[in-house]
Amino acid sequence: RRDLAMKGEEIKALRLRLGLTQTELAAEIGVHLVSVARWETGGITPIPIVQRALADLDARRSRVQAKASQGD
């Protein structure tokens, strides 16, 4: 089983790679904007269920982007 623990800079890099604002990321995974900001600054670490939601969002977006690039 892969360790899902993401550091703040990894969360920020994921968000930027997905082209999302902190507000958009928060809405996508059902958390408050302040939580996203605190994760990114290292103030708090997301709980495991949120870590899974981040990984799932990344996987979903990657599949969508892959399908879109195949259609080009």
Side-chain angles (χ1 to χ4, degrees), residues 8 11 22 25-26 29-47 50 54:
I11 294 170
Q22 288 182 338
L25 178 61
I29 61 173
V31 299
H32 196 277
L33 162 66
V34 173
S35 295
V36 174
R38 287 181 179 163
W39 300 335
E40 290 188 3
T41 60
I44 59 173
T45 302
I47 61 174
V50 173
L54 288 166

Side-chain angles (χ1 to χ4, degrees), residues 6-22:
M6 295 177 80
K7 295 182 185 319
E9 59 270 8
E10 294 170 315
I11 294 170
K12 183 175 184 177
L14 169 64
R15 176 178 63 77
L16 294 174
R17 186 168 49 80
L18 296 174
L20 300 173
T21 65
Q22 288 182 338

